[in-house]
Amino acid sequence: MTITGKNLIAGQWTGETTDGFNAFDAHSHEALNATFADATEFEVNKAINCAYDAFVSYSQLSSEKRAHFLRTIGDQINALGDKLVETACTETGLPAMRIQGERARTVGQLGLFADLLERGEYQAVIELADNDRQPLPKPDTRLGYLPLGVVGVFAASNFPLAFSTAGGDTASALAAGCPVVMKAHAAHPATAELVAQAILAAVKICNIDQGAFSLIQGRNYAIASQIVTHPQVKAVGFTGSERVGMILQQQINQRPEPIPFYGELGSINPQYIMEEKLAQNGQAIAQALVASLVMGQGQFCTSPGVWVVVGNENAANYQGFIDAATQSLSEQAAGVMLTPAMCQSYNNAVNARKDIAGVSLLTSGLSGRAQDCSATLFTTDFATYKNTPELHEELFGFSALIVRCDDFAQMMEFTQLLSGNLTASIHALDADLTLSKQLAQTLAHKVGRLIYNQMPTGVEVCASMHHGGPFPASTNIRTTSVGSEAIKRFQRPICYQNMPQALLPTALQS
């Protein structure tokens, strides 16, 4: 488990680390000792070309063999033991319990796809010929699915395991029969290399073509452009900022052959507190929202960034809610962000919000060291929110904005202003159901997951989960990056008509 700092290209560790880059200790903001290579244009090309060469053999593996490969990856990740947890904690500042949970989720995702492959959940539709049908006979038609080809995957900063090297995008692409070229995140390159070592071990155990997985390290932005524009890359999975995601989308659109770009880019995850809920459970819901907000310093894609209420400073119900939220958040400890750059970006965004006319800082959490960030809670009225576009954007970190509406009609107008989101929650009582139904009918068109009386943080990995949403939550509104449906992003349908049995894929044979 020695860290080489190199790229893994078709089973070989390559790259020059002398002029490379260092990750940072998230707690101290000091550079870590290991130096990592910036992949060259030649190395990226080699990784993609090897993946392309591996596509024929890998795509033709049986479902059972792909399932065994996925399970073996999970076993090898678990075999990394404490070394993986310690490395990820150092590079991200996330606590050991969080990393352990994320490791279990990563292995669980691999096992989910393995289970589905073994059970034949992705089997085709077979409709036999009907020569007696009038006025024309019906031909034999069979609908199957083909893997797209080489998939480029970009690791997320905030999930060093579950949305990174062997995370959901990689797992679903490999399950679909697609080789993967993974671009590691520069914030946790050692974590990425350890997981890549586990995947390489699984490749060897299962006798898979070693071109089926490669890991690319580097800070050079040209690497990302090279991956998404390479003619042999047929789909891309991305989790990151809207700015970077849209640059990559534009580059993909300019390709001679446009390809699917599955990007998850941003979400404010609005929380609606209905009037009766505010009146009867205002203090409890305020404390629960704060607890959800400060998880992982708010560095979840589903962190509750905007809270919408009907009320004003003179209303007792509203003031009780505000007092409880202010008290709870003011007691929250300072914490480290994933990287020094994210810490600086968070503080800059908080300071910019303080300067917006009509926006008030209710409270900040406890202060800490110079390297730490503090939680913040702001409030504004609907008119200010409506006329201030920068308030509509995600503030990545543990900061929330309470938007005060005069009445339910204004709450509905707020909903119309929303861009796409991953989630939204309605917090209500039975007495709120009539208005909640009206709100839900509109809000459903703004989100990928609509939640009732629960917090948005936490995504269940299951068949019925949808993790996506209208832009900018994701770039493809019809797909999910979590759950069993995620595999469909990397497959395409194909219909075989009147084909002899010998020419049909095994799954489509009678």
Side-chain angles (χ1 to χ4, degrees), residues 472-489:
S474 55
T475 57
N476 192 317
I477 197 171
R478 294 174 294 277
T479 63
T480 178
S481 61
V482 176
S484 57
E485 292 294 291
I487 194 174
K488 294 182 179 178
R489 297 174 298 166

Side-chain angles (χ1 to χ4, degrees), residues 304-308 353 359 377-380 385 391 399-403:
V306 175
W307 310 348
V308 190
R353 186 160 283 187
V359 176
L377 184 62
F378 292 88
T379 185
T380 191
Y385 182 89
L391 293 178
S399 180
L401 174 68
I402 299 174
V403 179

Side-chain angles (χ1 to χ4, degrees), residues 348-412:
N348 290 344
V350 167
N351 290 331
R353 186 160 283 187
K354 291 176 183 178
D355 293 335
I356 298 175
V359 176
S360 301
L361 175 66
L362 288 173
T363 190
S364 296
L366 300 173
S367 59
R369 309 164 306 149
Q371 301 95 323
D372 295 336
C373 293
S374 299
T376 53
L377 184 62
F378 292 88
T379 185
T380 191
D381 57 35
F382 171 73
T384 300
Y385 182 89
K386 179 179 180 179
N387 296 310
T388 312
E390 52 264 44
L391 293 178
H392 303 192
E393 300 172 0
E394 179 185 22
L395 197 168
F396 188 72
F398 50 171
S399 180
L401 174 68
I402 299 174
V403 179
R404 307 184 307 272
C405 297
D406 293 336
D407 50 32
F408 180 72
Q410 209 167 72
M411 184 178 277
M412 290 296 293

Side-chain angles (χ1 to χ4, degrees), residues 194-455:
L194 286 174
V195 177
Q197 290 179 14
I199 297 175
L200 177 59
V203 165
K204 292 178 178 178
I205 291 170
C206 298
N207 196 27
I208 302 293
D209 188 314
Q210 294 186 358
F213 178 84
S214 289
L215 178 77
I216 300 297
Q217 301 276 18
R219 286 188 183 274
N220 186 350
Y221 291 131
I223 294 172
S225 297
Q226 186 181 355
I227 291 173
V228 302
T229 59
H230 197 288
Q232 291 174 353
V233 171
K234 299 303 180 183
V236 173
F238 173 85
T239 301
S241 71
E242 182 177 346
R243 181 185 67 83
V244 174
M246 292 314 297
I247 291 173
L248 297 180
Q249 178 73 83
Q250 185 177 34
Q251 291 174 342
I252 287 172
N253 291 342
Q254 294 172 349
R255 289 172 49 127
E257 177 201 9
I259 59 174
F261 176 63
Y262 302 112
E264 182 190 314
L265 308 184
S267 184
I268 62 173
N269 306 297
Q271 306 295 295
Y272 291 80
I273 302 91
M274 305 303 286
E275 289 191 74
E276 288 299 320
K277 185 75 169 183
L278 188 70
Q280 297 188 39
N281 303 122
Q283 294 185 11
I285 195 64
Q287 293 167 350
L289 284 166
V290 169
S292 177
L293 173 70
V294 300
M295 287 177 59
Q297 283 66 261
Q299 297 170 115
F300 283 84
C301 50
T302 55
S303 183
V306 175
W307 310 348
V308 190
V309 299
V310 173
N312 58 66
E313 290 93 334
N314 299 319
N317 294 339
Y318 170 77
Q319 197 56 52
F321 170 80
I322 289 295
D323 289 345
T326 300
Q327 177 66 31
S328 180
L329 191 134
S330 67
E331 298 169 351
Q332 300 300 318
V336 298
M337 303 293 279
L338 292 161
T339 68
M342 287 184 184
C343 178
Q344 186 62 54
S345 295
Y346 172 77
N347 287 330
N348 290 344
V350 167
N351 290 331
R353 186 160 283 187
K354 291 176 183 178
D355 293 335
I356 298 175
V359 176
S360 301
L361 175 66
L362 288 173
T363 190
S364 296
L366 300 173
S367 59
R369 309 164 306 149
Q371 301 95 323
D372 295 336
C373 293
S374 299
T376 53
L377 184 62
F378 292 88
T379 185
T380 191
D381 57 35
F382 171 73
T384 300
Y385 182 89
K386 179 179 180 179
N387 296 310
T388 312
E390 52 264 44
L391 293 178
H392 303 192
E393 300 172 0
E394 179 185 22
L395 197 168
F396 188 72
F398 50 171
S399 180
L401 174 68
I402 299 174
V403 179
R404 307 184 307 272
C405 297
D406 293 336
D407 50 32
F408 180 72
Q410 209 167 72
M411 184 178 277
M412 290 296 293
E413 189 178 351
F414 170 91
T415 305
Q416 295 290 354
L417 293 175
L418 284 175
S419 298
N421 279 272
L422 293 170
T423 75
S425 297
I426 299 173
H427 302 280
L429 300 177
D430 288 348
D432 296 306
L433 282 179
T434 299
L435 294 180
S436 295
K437 180 178 180 180
Q438 184 179 342
L439 173 62
Q441 289 171 341
T442 299
L443 192 53
H445 294 280
K446 298 287 186 175
V447 302
R449 178 163 56 109
L450 185 56
I451 306 164
Y452 188 77
N453 278 345
Q454 289 184 339
M455 295 300 150

Side-chain angles (χ1 to χ4, degrees), residues 61-82:
L61 287 179
S62 68
S63 295
E64 291 74 19
K65 288 184 178 180
R66 270 182 280 147
H68 177 58
F69 178 42
L70 295 175
R71 291 192 197 285
T72 306
I73 293 173
D75 292 342
Q76 293 302 310
I77 289 173
N78 282 329
L80 294 171
D82 292 341

